[in-house]
Amino acid sequence: MEARRRGDAVTRGCRRSAAVDQHSAAVPRAARRSERRRRLQRARKLGLENRIFFVSRVDPYGFERPADFDYAAYEEFFSTYLVILTKRAIKWSRLVKGGGAVRRSATVKRYVRKGIPLEHRARVWMAVSGAQAQMDQNPGYYHRLLQGERSSCLEEAIRTDLNRTFPDNVRFRKTAEPCLQKTLYNVLLAYGMHNQGVGYCQGMNFIAGYLILITKNEEESFWLLDALVGRILPDYYSPAMLGLKTDQEVLAELVRLKMPAVAALMEGHGVLWTLVVSRWFICLFVDILPVETVLRIWDCLFNEGSKILFRVALTLIKQHQTFILEATSVPDICDRFKQITRGSFVTECHTFMQKIFSEPGSLSMTTITRLRESHRAALLAQG
Protein backbone atom coordinates (compact mmCIF):
# COMPACT_ATOMS: atom_id res chain seq x y z
CA MET A 1 0.00 0.00 0.00
CA GLU A 2 1.37 3.33 -1.02
CA ALA A 3 1.14 6.04 1.61
CA ARG A 4 0.06 9.35 0.07
CA ARG A 5 0.42 12.97 0.99
CA ARG A 6 -2.60 15.01 0.12
CA GLY A 7 -3.66 18.53 0.86
CA ASP A 8 -1.73 21.70 1.47
CA ALA A 9 1.30 21.81 3.73
CA VAL A 10 0.17 22.65 7.23
CA THR A 11 1.79 25.54 9.00
CA ARG A 12 2.36 25.48 12.70
CA GLY A 13 2.70 27.85 15.60
CA CYS A 14 -0.70 29.45 15.27
CA ARG A 15 -1.73 29.70 18.85
CA ARG A 16 -3.77 32.82 18.58
CA SER A 17 -3.62 35.71 21.02
CA ALA A 18 -6.66 37.84 21.79
CA ALA A 19 -6.77 41.63 21.68
CA VAL A 20 -8.57 43.72 24.28
CA ASP A 21 -11.68 45.20 22.71
CA GLN A 22 -12.56 48.86 23.09
CA HIS A 23 -15.17 48.23 25.77
CA SER A 24 -12.87 46.30 28.08
CA ALA A 25 -10.07 48.81 27.54
CA ALA A 26 -12.37 51.53 28.77
CA VAL A 27 -13.07 49.80 32.08
CA PRO A 28 -10.85 51.17 34.87
CA ARG A 29 -8.10 48.78 35.96
CA ALA A 30 -9.18 48.87 39.59
CA ALA A 31 -12.71 47.80 38.66
CA ARG A 32 -11.37 44.95 36.52
CA ARG A 33 -9.09 43.79 39.32
CA SER A 34 -12.01 43.85 41.76
CA GLU A 35 -14.14 41.81 39.38
CA ARG A 36 -11.32 39.29 38.85
CA ARG A 37 -10.89 38.89 42.61
CA ARG A 38 -14.62 38.23 42.98
CA ARG A 39 -14.54 35.58 40.26
CA LEU A 40 -11.37 34.03 41.63
CA GLN A 41 -13.06 33.58 45.01
CA ARG A 42 -15.96 31.86 43.28
CA ALA A 43 -13.57 29.68 41.31
CA ARG A 44 -11.67 28.64 44.44
CA LYS A 45 -14.86 27.29 45.97
CA LEU A 46 -15.15 24.95 42.98
CA GLY A 47 -11.44 24.17 42.63
CA LEU A 48 -11.25 25.82 39.21
CA GLU A 49 -8.85 28.68 39.84
CA ASN A 50 -5.78 26.98 38.40
CA ARG A 51 -7.47 26.61 35.06
CA ILE A 52 -7.78 30.27 34.40
CA PHE A 53 -6.09 32.82 36.56
CA PHE A 54 -2.55 31.59 36.78
CA VAL A 55 -1.73 31.78 33.08
CA SER A 56 1.53 29.98 32.49
CA ARG A 57 3.83 29.97 29.49
CA VAL A 58 2.36 26.61 28.47
CA ASP A 59 -1.40 26.20 28.05
CA PRO A 60 -3.42 23.33 29.61
CA TYR A 61 -2.96 21.23 26.46
CA GLY A 62 0.83 21.56 26.35
CA PHE A 63 1.14 24.30 23.72
CA GLU A 64 3.72 27.00 24.39
CA ARG A 65 2.31 30.47 24.17
CA PRO A 66 3.93 32.64 21.47
CA ALA A 67 6.27 35.48 22.35
CA ASP A 68 3.63 38.08 21.46
CA PHE A 69 0.88 36.40 23.50
CA ASP A 70 -1.35 39.01 25.15
CA TYR A 71 -1.69 37.68 28.70
CA ALA A 72 -3.79 40.63 29.87
CA ALA A 73 -6.35 40.20 27.10
CA TYR A 74 -6.45 36.45 27.64
CA GLU A 75 -7.10 36.86 31.35
CA GLU A 76 -9.76 39.45 30.59
CA PHE A 77 -11.62 36.97 28.42
CA PHE A 78 -11.19 33.94 30.66
CA SER A 79 -12.22 35.77 33.80
CA THR A 80 -15.64 36.01 32.14
CA TYR A 81 -15.52 32.58 30.54
CA LEU A 82 -14.81 31.04 33.95
CA VAL A 83 -18.37 31.77 35.05
CA ILE A 84 -19.68 29.90 31.99
CA LEU A 85 -17.29 26.99 32.55
CA THR A 86 -18.42 26.70 36.13
CA LYS A 87 -22.11 26.59 35.22
CA ARG A 88 -21.51 24.06 32.45
CA ALA A 89 -19.40 21.82 34.71
CA ILE A 90 -22.21 21.66 37.28
CA LYS A 91 -24.86 20.85 34.64
CA TRP A 92 -22.73 18.19 32.92
CA SER A 93 -21.86 16.56 36.25
CA ARG A 94 -25.57 16.13 36.91
CA LEU A 95 -26.18 14.78 33.41
CA VAL A 96 -23.46 12.10 33.55
CA LYS A 97 -23.95 11.28 37.22
CA GLY A 98 -23.99 7.55 37.82
CA GLY A 99 -21.75 6.68 34.89
CA GLY A 100 -24.58 5.80 32.50
CA ALA A 101 -24.24 6.06 28.74
CA VAL A 102 -24.58 9.48 27.12
CA ARG A 103 -27.09 9.26 24.28
CA ARG A 104 -27.98 11.75 21.61
CA SER A 105 -31.02 13.79 22.57
CA ALA A 106 -32.35 17.33 22.41
CA THR A 107 -30.91 17.94 25.88
CA VAL A 108 -27.48 16.58 24.99
CA LYS A 109 -27.46 18.60 21.77
CA ARG A 110 -28.20 21.77 23.72
CA TYR A 111 -25.53 20.94 26.30
CA VAL A 112 -22.94 20.11 23.64
CA ARG A 113 -23.50 23.38 21.82
CA LYS A 114 -22.79 25.23 25.06
CA GLY A 115 -19.54 23.29 25.55
CA ILE A 116 -18.41 20.01 27.06
CA PRO A 117 -16.14 20.35 30.13
CA LEU A 118 -12.67 18.98 29.54
CA GLU A 119 -13.13 16.25 32.17
CA HIS A 120 -16.14 14.84 30.27
CA ARG A 121 -15.08 15.61 26.68
CA ALA A 122 -13.50 12.28 25.75
CA ARG A 123 -16.39 10.27 27.16
CA VAL A 124 -19.01 12.37 25.39
CA TRP A 125 -17.14 12.37 22.07
CA MET A 126 -16.86 8.59 22.21
CA ALA A 127 -20.57 8.21 22.96
CA VAL A 128 -22.19 10.63 20.51
CA SER A 129 -19.87 9.78 17.59
CA GLY A 130 -20.49 6.05 17.80
CA ALA A 131 -16.79 5.42 18.51
CA GLN A 132 -17.54 3.79 21.87
CA ALA A 133 -19.97 1.36 20.26
CA GLN A 134 -17.41 0.44 17.60
CA MET A 135 -14.71 -0.13 20.19
CA ASP A 136 -17.03 -2.27 22.32
CA GLN A 137 -18.02 -4.36 19.29
CA ASN A 138 -14.38 -4.92 18.27
CA PRO A 139 -12.42 -5.77 21.44
CA GLY A 140 -8.70 -6.12 20.85
CA TYR A 141 -8.93 -5.01 17.21
CA TYR A 142 -6.71 -1.95 17.64
CA HIS A 143 -3.91 -3.94 19.25
CA ARG A 144 -4.14 -6.65 16.58
CA LEU A 145 -3.60 -3.99 13.93
CA LEU A 146 -0.37 -2.90 15.61
CA GLN A 147 0.82 -6.49 15.88
CA GLY A 148 0.01 -7.38 12.27
CA GLU A 149 1.92 -7.02 9.03
CA ARG A 150 3.08 -3.48 8.32
CA SER A 151 3.68 -1.31 5.28
CA SER A 152 7.12 0.26 5.07
CA CYS A 153 5.81 3.10 2.87
CA LEU A 154 3.10 3.90 5.39
CA GLU A 155 5.56 3.83 8.28
CA GLU A 156 7.99 6.12 6.47
CA ALA A 157 5.30 8.67 5.62
CA ILE A 158 4.11 8.81 9.25
CA ARG A 159 7.63 9.02 10.69
CA THR A 160 8.45 11.92 8.36
CA ASP A 161 5.64 13.98 9.85
CA LEU A 162 6.16 13.15 13.53
CA ASN A 163 8.60 15.97 14.23
CA ARG A 164 6.43 18.37 12.23
CA THR A 165 3.42 17.69 14.43
CA PHE A 166 2.94 20.43 17.00
CA PRO A 167 6.58 21.50 17.48
CA ASP A 168 5.21 24.11 19.90
CA ASN A 169 3.67 21.44 22.14
CA VAL A 170 5.93 20.22 24.93
CA ARG A 171 4.18 16.84 25.12
CA PHE A 172 5.09 15.92 21.55
CA ARG A 173 8.81 16.59 21.93
CA LYS A 174 11.28 13.73 22.08
CA THR A 175 12.46 15.00 25.47
CA ALA A 176 8.94 14.69 26.94
CA GLU A 177 8.18 11.86 29.36
CA PRO A 178 6.09 10.25 28.13
CA CYS A 179 6.60 11.47 24.55
CA LEU A 180 3.32 11.53 22.64
CA GLN A 181 5.08 11.02 19.32
CA LYS A 182 5.07 7.26 19.92
CA THR A 183 1.35 7.31 20.74
CA LEU A 184 0.68 9.39 17.62
CA TYR A 185 2.72 6.98 15.49
CA ASN A 186 0.75 4.00 16.79
CA VAL A 187 -2.65 5.61 16.17
CA LEU A 188 -1.77 6.70 12.62
CA LEU A 189 -0.16 3.37 11.78
CA ALA A 190 -3.13 1.38 13.06
CA TYR A 191 -5.55 3.59 11.16
CA GLY A 192 -3.52 3.30 7.95
CA MET A 193 -3.68 -0.49 8.22
CA HIS A 194 -7.38 -0.40 9.14
CA ASN A 195 -8.40 1.89 6.26
CA GLN A 196 -6.01 1.05 3.46
CA GLY A 197 -8.06 3.06 1.00
CA VAL A 198 -6.88 6.15 2.85
CA GLY A 199 -3.60 5.05 4.42
CA TYR A 200 -2.03 8.22 5.71
CA CYS A 201 -2.78 11.76 4.56
CA GLN A 202 -1.01 14.88 5.73
CA GLY A 203 -3.35 16.67 8.11
CA MET A 204 -4.44 13.48 9.84
CA ASN A 205 -1.44 13.83 12.17
CA PHE A 206 -2.81 17.07 13.59
CA ILE A 207 -6.30 15.65 14.01
CA ALA A 208 -4.99 12.52 15.73
CA GLY A 209 -2.73 14.69 17.88
CA TYR A 210 -5.69 16.65 19.23
CA LEU A 211 -7.59 13.43 19.90
CA ILE A 212 -4.65 12.06 21.89
CA LEU A 213 -4.37 15.27 23.95
CA ILE A 214 -8.05 15.02 24.91
CA THR A 215 -8.53 11.27 25.40
CA LYS A 216 -5.04 10.44 26.71
CA ASN A 217 -5.84 6.99 25.33
CA GLU A 218 -4.46 5.39 22.13
CA GLU A 219 -7.38 3.10 21.43
CA GLU A 220 -10.03 5.75 21.99
CA SER A 221 -8.11 8.14 19.73
CA PHE A 222 -8.03 5.48 17.02
CA TRP A 223 -11.79 4.93 17.13
CA LEU A 224 -12.52 8.67 17.19
CA LEU A 225 -10.24 9.10 14.16
CA ASP A 226 -12.21 6.33 12.47
CA ALA A 227 -15.47 8.13 13.28
CA LEU A 228 -14.17 11.32 11.65
CA VAL A 229 -12.38 9.91 8.62
CA GLY A 230 -14.64 6.95 8.00
CA ARG A 231 -18.12 8.27 8.75
CA ILE A 232 -18.41 11.98 9.53
CA LEU A 233 -16.10 13.14 6.71
CA PRO A 234 -16.12 10.37 4.07
CA ASP A 235 -13.75 10.84 1.11
CA TYR A 236 -12.00 13.84 2.66
CA TYR A 237 -8.73 11.94 2.90
CA SER A 238 -9.08 9.40 0.07
CA PRO A 239 -6.67 9.62 -2.90
CA ALA A 240 -9.05 11.73 -5.01
CA MET A 241 -10.19 13.77 -1.97
CA LEU A 242 -13.62 13.92 -3.59
CA GLY A 243 -15.42 14.65 -0.32
CA LEU A 244 -13.14 17.60 0.43
CA LYS A 245 -13.46 19.02 -3.10
CA THR A 246 -17.22 18.60 -2.99
CA ASP A 247 -17.58 20.44 0.31
CA GLN A 248 -15.44 23.32 -0.93
CA GLU A 249 -17.81 23.67 -3.88
CA VAL A 250 -20.78 23.48 -1.52
CA LEU A 251 -19.31 26.29 0.58
CA ALA A 252 -18.82 28.38 -2.56
CA GLU A 253 -22.47 27.82 -3.46
CA LEU A 254 -23.63 28.75 0.03
CA VAL A 255 -21.58 31.96 -0.11
CA ARG A 256 -23.17 32.80 -3.47
CA LEU A 257 -26.59 32.36 -1.87
CA LYS A 258 -25.91 34.15 1.42
CA MET A 259 -23.12 36.64 0.61
CA PRO A 260 -23.23 37.30 -3.15
CA ALA A 261 -20.84 40.26 -2.93
CA VAL A 262 -18.07 38.04 -1.51
CA ALA A 263 -18.73 35.42 -4.18
CA ALA A 264 -18.54 38.12 -6.87
CA LEU A 265 -15.20 39.33 -5.47
CA MET A 266 -13.76 35.81 -5.57
CA GLU A 267 -15.03 35.18 -9.09
CA GLY A 268 -13.92 38.61 -10.31
CA HIS A 269 -10.33 37.93 -9.26
CA GLY A 270 -10.43 34.28 -10.33
CA VAL A 271 -9.70 33.02 -6.81
CA LEU A 272 -10.55 29.36 -6.29
CA TRP A 273 -12.12 28.59 -2.94
CA THR A 274 -9.68 25.72 -2.40
CA LEU A 275 -6.92 28.33 -2.19
CA VAL A 276 -8.37 29.98 0.91
CA VAL A 277 -10.39 27.31 2.73
CA SER A 278 -8.85 23.89 1.97
CA ARG A 279 -6.86 23.92 5.23
CA TRP A 280 -9.99 24.89 7.19
CA PHE A 281 -11.66 21.68 6.07
CA ILE A 282 -8.82 19.18 5.86
CA CYS A 283 -7.41 20.14 9.29
CA LEU A 284 -10.85 20.75 10.86
CA PHE A 285 -9.58 24.20 11.90
CA VAL A 286 -6.61 22.79 13.87
CA ASP A 287 -3.72 25.30 13.80
CA ILE A 288 -6.09 27.80 12.24
CA LEU A 289 -8.32 28.77 15.16
CA PRO A 290 -7.36 28.81 18.89
CA VAL A 291 -7.26 25.43 20.63
CA GLU A 292 -10.28 25.96 22.88
CA THR A 293 -12.35 27.22 19.95
CA VAL A 294 -11.40 24.18 17.86
CA LEU A 295 -12.42 21.86 20.69
CA ARG A 296 -15.79 23.61 21.00
CA ILE A 297 -16.29 23.15 17.25
CA TRP A 298 -15.36 19.48 17.53
CA ASP A 299 -17.87 19.02 20.37
CA CYS A 300 -20.59 19.82 17.83
CA LEU A 301 -18.86 18.06 14.94
CA PHE A 302 -18.92 14.72 16.73
CA ASN A 303 -22.56 15.18 17.75
CA GLU A 304 -24.14 16.91 14.75
CA GLY A 305 -21.87 16.00 11.87
CA SER A 306 -20.08 17.86 9.10
CA LYS A 307 -22.60 20.67 8.62
CA ILE A 308 -20.88 22.35 11.58
CA LEU A 309 -17.85 23.00 9.36
CA PHE A 310 -20.05 25.02 6.98
CA ARG A 311 -21.52 27.00 9.87
CA VAL A 312 -18.04 27.90 11.11
CA ALA A 313 -16.77 28.86 7.66
CA LEU A 314 -19.85 30.94 6.82
CA THR A 315 -19.68 32.73 10.18
CA LEU A 316 -16.03 33.66 9.70
CA ILE A 317 -16.77 35.04 6.25
CA LYS A 318 -20.00 36.86 7.15
CA GLN A 319 -18.59 38.44 10.29
CA HIS A 320 -15.71 39.89 8.24
CA GLN A 321 -17.57 40.47 4.98
CA THR A 322 -16.80 44.21 4.84
CA PHE A 323 -13.12 43.58 5.57
CA ILE A 324 -12.89 40.92 2.84
CA LEU A 325 -14.64 43.13 0.28
CA GLU A 326 -11.91 45.77 0.72
CA ALA A 327 -9.40 43.40 -0.93
CA THR A 328 -8.02 44.60 -4.26
CA SER A 329 -5.90 41.68 -5.47
CA VAL A 330 -5.52 37.91 -5.23
CA PRO A 331 -2.71 38.12 -2.61
CA ASP A 332 -4.80 40.64 -0.66
CA ILE A 333 -7.82 38.30 -0.66
CA CYS A 334 -5.70 35.37 0.53
CA ASP A 335 -4.14 37.46 3.28
CA ARG A 336 -7.51 38.69 4.50
CA PHE A 337 -8.83 35.13 4.73
CA LYS A 338 -5.87 34.38 7.00
CA GLN A 339 -6.47 37.45 9.13
CA ILE A 340 -10.14 36.63 9.80
CA THR A 341 -9.06 33.52 11.73
CA ARG A 342 -7.26 35.65 14.31
CA GLY A 343 -8.19 38.04 17.08
CA SER A 344 -10.75 38.33 19.82
CA PHE A 345 -13.72 37.18 17.71
CA VAL A 346 -12.34 33.65 17.41
CA THR A 347 -10.58 33.61 20.79
CA GLU A 348 -13.79 34.28 22.70
CA CYS A 349 -15.00 30.77 21.96
CA HIS A 350 -18.34 30.85 23.75
CA THR A 351 -19.59 33.92 21.88
CA PHE A 352 -18.14 32.54 18.67
CA MET A 353 -20.08 29.27 19.05
CA GLN A 354 -23.28 31.21 19.67
CA LYS A 355 -22.62 33.11 16.46
CA ILE A 356 -22.20 30.02 14.27
CA PHE A 357 -25.78 29.00 15.08
CA SER A 358 -27.23 32.43 14.28
CA GLU A 359 -25.05 34.25 11.73
CA PRO A 360 -25.38 31.84 8.76
CA GLY A 361 -29.15 31.60 9.15
CA SER A 362 -31.02 28.45 8.16
CA LEU A 363 -28.74 25.62 7.08
CA SER A 364 -30.45 22.26 6.98
CA MET A 365 -28.79 18.92 6.35
CA THR A 366 -31.30 18.45 3.52
CA THR A 367 -29.90 21.53 1.76
CA ILE A 368 -26.31 20.42 2.27
CA THR A 369 -27.06 16.90 1.01
CA ARG A 370 -28.75 18.28 -2.12
CA LEU A 371 -25.82 20.59 -2.86
CA ARG A 372 -23.34 17.81 -2.23
CA GLU A 373 -25.08 15.50 -4.66
CA SER A 374 -25.11 18.07 -7.47
CA HIS A 375 -21.51 19.23 -6.98
CA ARG A 376 -20.20 15.70 -6.55
CA ALA A 377 -21.84 14.72 -9.82
CA ALA A 378 -20.28 17.73 -11.54
CA LEU A 379 -16.82 16.89 -10.22
CA LEU A 380 -17.14 13.27 -11.34
CA ALA A 381 -18.25 14.42 -14.79
CA GLN A 382 -15.09 16.55 -15.05
CA GLY A 383 -13.04 13.42 -14.41
Side-chain angles (χ1 to χ4, degrees), residues 353-373:
M353 292 304 293
Q354 291 174 328
K355 288 280 188 181
I356 76 168
F357 293 110
S358 60
E359 285 289 310
S362 176
L363 188 63
S364 69
M365 202 62 217
T366 301
T367 299
I368 291 173
T369 300
R370 176 175 54 80
L371 292 174
R372 277 175 168 165
E373 288 173 352

Side-chain angles (χ1 to χ4, degrees), residues 126-320:
M126 289 289 290
V128 299
S129 68
Q132 186 66 54
Q134 288 294 311
M135 188 170 77
D136 292 344
Q137 292 165 18
N138 296 277
Y141 177 68
Y142 171 72
H143 297 288
R144 288 196 298 275
L145 286 170
L146 292 177
Q147 294 164 4
E149 185 178 349
R150 299 185 176 188
S151 162
S152 58
C153 291
L154 175 64
E155 290 185 289
E156 181 182 356
I158 294 170
R159 283 199 186 100
T160 300
D161 274 353
L162 286 181
N163 286 330
R164 301 172 183 171
T165 306
F166 303 137
D168 56 343
N169 190 298
V170 297
R171 300 174 191 173
F172 281 91
R173 290 178 185 162
K174 290 181 178 179
T175 54
E177 184 55 49
C179 175
L180 293 184
Q181 282 193 13
K182 176 60 176 174
T183 304
L184 178 63
Y185 173 81
N186 286 346
V187 171
L188 292 173
L189 178 64
Y191 192 77
M193 300 308 296
H194 163 70
N195 188 347
Q196 297 188 22
V198 169
Y200 171 71
C201 171
Q202 192 174 52
M204 287 170 59
N205 53 325
F206 292 93
I207 295 169
Y210 260 46
L211 295 174
I212 290 165
L213 287 172
I214 297 303
T215 66
K216 301 178 176 62
N217 182 292
E218 277 188 36
E219 189 173 9
E220 289 183 358
S221 297
F222 166 81
W223 287 112
L224 284 170
L225 185 63
D226 182 54
L228 286 170
V229 177
R231 296 191 299 282
I232 297 174
L233 304 167
D235 291 334
Y236 261 49
Y237 305 93
S238 60
M241 304 184 85
L242 186 59
L244 176 67
K245 293 175 183 176
T246 298
D247 280 1
Q248 289 173 169
E249 292 299 319
V250 171
L251 176 63
E253 180 72 17
L254 290 170
V255 172
R256 278 193 288 273
L257 292 170
K258 296 174 179 291
M259 290 163 278
V262 174
L265 175 74
M266 299 287 283
E267 290 167 9
H269 286 277
V271 179
L272 298 175
W273 280 95
T274 186
L275 189 64
V276 293
V277 302
S278 61
R279 286 184 59 241
W280 293 8
F281 284 85
I282 199 168
C283 293
L284 309 183
F285 295 100
V286 171
D287 260 6
I288 294 159
L289 298 179
V291 180
E292 194 63 39
T293 305
V294 174
L295 295 175
R296 289 289 302 270
I297 292 167
W298 284 23
D299 289 346
C300 298
L301 178 64
F302 279 118
N303 189 53
E304 298 184 49
S306 57
K307 74 174 181 180
I308 295 301
L309 301 181
F310 295 107
R311 285 198 167 278
V312 173
L314 289 170
T315 300
L316 285 169
I317 297 167
K318 187 173 183 179
Q319 181 72 20
H320 300 92

